[in-house]
Amino acid sequence: MAKATRKKKDPDASAEEKILSAARVVFTRNGYAATTVRDIAAEADLNFSLVNYYFRSKEKLYDLVMKDAIRQLLYSIKYLLDEPQTTPQEKIDLLCVRWIDMLLEHPDLPLFVMNGVANSSNDITKELVENNVFLTSYFVKQLMELHGKGKLKIAPLHLVMNLVSMLSLPFVARHLLLKTGAVDMKMFRAMMEERKTHIPGWIKLMM
Amino acid sequence: MAKATRKKKDPDASAEEKILSAARVVFTRNGYAATTVRDIAAEADLNFSLVNYYFRSKEKLYDLVMKDAIRQLLYSIKYLLDEPQTTPQEKIDLLCVRWIDMLLEHPDLPLFVMNGVANSSNDITKELVENNVFLTSYFVKQLMELHGKGKLKIAPLHLVMNLVSMLSLPFVARHLLLKTGAVDMKMFRAMMEERKTHIPGWIKLMM
DNA sequence: CTATTTTTTGAACAATTGTTTAATACATTT
DNA sequence: AAATGTATTAAACAATTGTTCAAAAAATAG
């Protein structure tokens, strides 16, 4: 095994890493079924047998990429939601900036993950449950407490739903917006920048 | 040609129709690439050569299904948005009920269409542009007029984005909610029923 | 009934798929 | 240097894919 022992140095970016990031690109763009092992190798500019050499199978490689995608989507805000010192409102402010920044860098992530979940193996579902960021977070506990005292109009689950919806659906529907000519890329980015501050405002109206 | 001339009567549900609705089921569940012509025929309980006999190719059949899906998603609210007699607020009330009812019957439609658009042919993009329901609607004209007069705080495009987001993302993320155990099917339906009236309320707060 | 058209079937096809294997090239160690 | 372990390659594989085609079956028309 090369991967496990790792006695050698990495020559520049190692073949293994080149394949992994190529897989990220191709899987994210085309999905699992429409992606071939040869596509990935071509993107990495390597012989296609190396994919199986380093990752054993297409499916194992996909699971790796999908798990990373889920972590990227959820972990980037996890500690933020569990911070005991900040108010729910402050959490919302930070969350929106943090998440939109991340999504602007990886705009295809939400659709990719939604598809991964829809046709998921147990392995991937497990990754999701273990990182069930929102519902087990201190953020939701705070909201439930406020809701219980009558100091929060909206049900916490609806609030979270609205927050995630307004943040991520524009990215899910990004290609639709672009291809219909509703917006161009520059305008899309500008609107997402606006939403960093607008969404917290709208959410607070609901609270 | 059988399809074009149609001299015969339809024996019960014709083979052609059985294939089309089977294709809807399988394509919507598994996507284009993961669907085989043999899967569709099996779902329709027919010989798999009939798929090509009636629809010439897998891709043409998919385009049919996708176009129908887009129409179902957009046409169900098109005339509603172009009604000159109703106020924007009334349109929003009706839209939310109408759309959530439709999505509860076809919950996989949004994710299916988003994927179709992301990897779309020109043919499908055309269908979208021609049914560009929102941005060319009288609804948006009304909003822009109000916004121009300073009688509408939120920018119309953000309003439409928020409306569509809060309505459709829960369906896109439906499998995630169910598989993580955040909600069960009964609770999901109940929440969507609540959102029929809540979303208009939240949107109006933003206006 | 006979003739004709339409529908259905099963076999065959070439292409593409993921995976394996054996040989070769390269790097490291002794 | 030789020996050993690792990385890379090309070829081959069995399976699956969409599509075609000719024959059989069923339905319709004359």
Side-chain angles (χ1 to χ4, degrees):
Chain A
M1 283 286 173
K3 194 172 53 175
T5 55
R6 180 87 50 131
K7 292 175 185 175
K8 308 286 178 58
K9 59 162 182 167
D10 286 343
D12 229 12
S14 73
E16 191 178 350
E17 285 164 358
K18 281 167 80 175
I19 290 170
L20 185 59
S21 57
R24 265 190 261 272
V25 171
V26 184
F27 276 136
T28 303
R29 193 201 310 131
N30 302 333
Y32 178 77
T35 295
T36 73
V37 171
R38 287 163 177 86
D39 288 340
I40 296 171
E43 175 76 26
D45 204 38
L46 290 172
N47 186 286
F48 73 93
S49 297
L50 289 175
V51 175
N52 283 308
Y53 177 74
Y54 281 111
F55 297 95
R56 304 185 49 89
S57 75
K58 177 190 173 185
E59 200 178 358
K60 284 195 169 61
L61 177 53
Y62 174 77
D63 278 5
L64 260 184
V65 171
M66 179 57 70
K67 282 189 201 171
D68 278 0
I70 292 172
R71 289 201 198 99
Q72 185 140 36
L73 210 57
L74 299 185
Y75 259 98
S76 61
I77 51 163
K78 183 170 193 169
Y79 75 100
L80 195 156
L81 292 177
D82 283 327
E83 173 62 56
Q85 306 298 339
T86 57
T87 65
Q89 285 86 352
E90 289 170 332
K91 287 186 175 66
I92 292 169
D93 290 341
L94 289 172
L95 171 73
C96 290
V97 173
R98 204 74 57 89
W99 222 18
I100 287 181
D101 273 337
M102 188 268 293
L103 290 177
L104 281 171
E105 275 194 67
H106 308 282
D108 290 329
L109 225 49
L111 186 57
F112 178 60
V113 170
M114 289 303 129
N115 281 313
V117 174
N119 308 15
S120 68
S121 66
N122 296 337
D123 213 30
I124 287 170
T125 309
K126 204 177 295 177
E127 189 72 23
L128 268 170
V129 174
E130 284 167 8
N131 297 304
N132 191 349
V133 169
F134 283 99
L135 301 189
T136 65
S137 67
Y138 186 66
F139 174 58
V140 168
K141 285 206 183 73
Q142 287 179 302
L143 293 177
M144 284 173 62
E145 200 180 319
L146 287 173
H147 191 61
K149 290 189 200 160
K151 294 189 174 181
L152 180 70
K153 286 179 293 183
I154 186 174
L157 204 50
H158 279 301
L159 186 150
V160 171
M161 230 177 231
N162 293 344
L163 191 54
V164 175
S165 294
M166 292 196 289
L167 285 169
S168 54
L169 185 111
F171 291 89
V172 173
R174 187 168 132 270
H175 293 105
L176 189 149
L177 291 167
L178 294 174
K179 291 193 183 182
T180 57
V183 300
D184 57 15
M185 263 185 49
K186 188 172 290 185
M187 187 173 178
F188 180 81
R189 290 189 68 92
M191 288 191 72
M192 295 309 113
E193 289 293 335
E194 290 173 5
R195 291 174 78 83
K196 285 185 189 174
T197 55
H198 287 168
I199 290 175
W202 295 322
I203 291 286
K204 282 163 196 165
L205 293 173
M206 305 176 190
M207 299 176 75
Chain B
M1 285 285 173
K3 195 173 53 174
T5 54
R6 182 84 52 124
K7 290 176 184 175
K8 309 284 177 59
K9 60 162 180 166
D10 286 344
D12 229 11
S14 73
E16 190 177 350
E17 284 164 359
K18 281 168 80 174
I19 291 171
L20 186 59
S21 58
R24 266 191 261 272
V25 171
V26 184
F27 275 136
T28 304
R29 192 202 311 132
N30 302 333
Y32 178 77
T35 295
T36 73
V37 171
R38 287 163 178 85
D39 289 339
I40 296 170
E43 175 76 26
D45 204 39
L46 290 172
N47 186 286
F48 73 93
S49 297
L50 289 175
V51 175
N52 283 309
Y53 177 74
Y54 282 112
F55 297 95
R56 305 186 47 91
S57 77
K58 177 190 174 187
E59 201 179 356
K60 285 195 168 62
L61 176 54
Y62 174 78
D63 278 4
L64 259 183
V65 171
M66 179 56 69
K67 282 188 200 170
D68 277 0
I70 292 172
R71 288 199 199 102
Q72 184 142 35
L73 209 59
L74 300 184
Y75 259 98
S76 61
I77 51 163
K78 184 169 192 171
Y79 75 99
L80 196 156
L81 292 177
D82 283 328
E83 174 61 55
Q85 306 297 339
T86 57
T87 65
Q89 284 86 352
E90 289 170 331
K91 286 186 175 68
I92 291 168
D93 290 341
L94 289 172
L95 171 74
C96 290
V97 174
R98 204 72 58 90
W99 222 18
I100 287 182
D101 273 336
M102 188 267 295
L103 290 177
L104 281 171
E105 276 195 68
H106 307 283
D108 289 329
L109 224 49
L111 187 57
F112 178 60
V113 169
M114 289 304 128
N115 281 313
V117 174
N119 308 13
S120 67
S121 64
N122 295 337
D123 213 29
I124 287 169
T125 309
K126 206 177 296 178
E127 190 71 22
L128 268 169
V129 174
E130 284 168 7
N131 296 306
N132 191 348
V133 168
F134 282 100
L135 301 189
T136 64
S137 68
Y138 187 66
F139 175 58
V140 169
K141 285 208 183 75
Q142 286 178 302
L143 293 176
M144 284 173 63
E145 198 178 320
L146 286 173
H147 191 61
K149 289 189 202 160
K151 295 189 172 182
L152 179 70
K153 286 181 291 183
I154 187 175
L157 203 51
H158 278 301
L159 186 149
V160 170
M161 231 176 230
N162 293 344
L163 191 55
V164 174
S165 294
M166 291 196 289
L167 286 169
S168 54
L169 186 112
F171 290 89
V172 173
R174 188 168 132 270
H175 293 105
L176 188 148
L177 291 166
L178 295 173
K179 290 193 182 181
T180 58
V183 300
D184 57 15
M185 261 185 49
K186 188 172 289 185
M187 187 175 179
F188 180 80
R189 291 188 68 91
M191 288 191 71
M192 295 309 113
E193 290 292 336
E194 289 172 8
R195 291 173 79 80
K196 284 185 190 177
T197 55
H198 286 167
I199 291 175
W202 295 322
I203 291 286
K204 281 163 197 164
L205 293 172
M206 305 177 190
M207 301 178 72

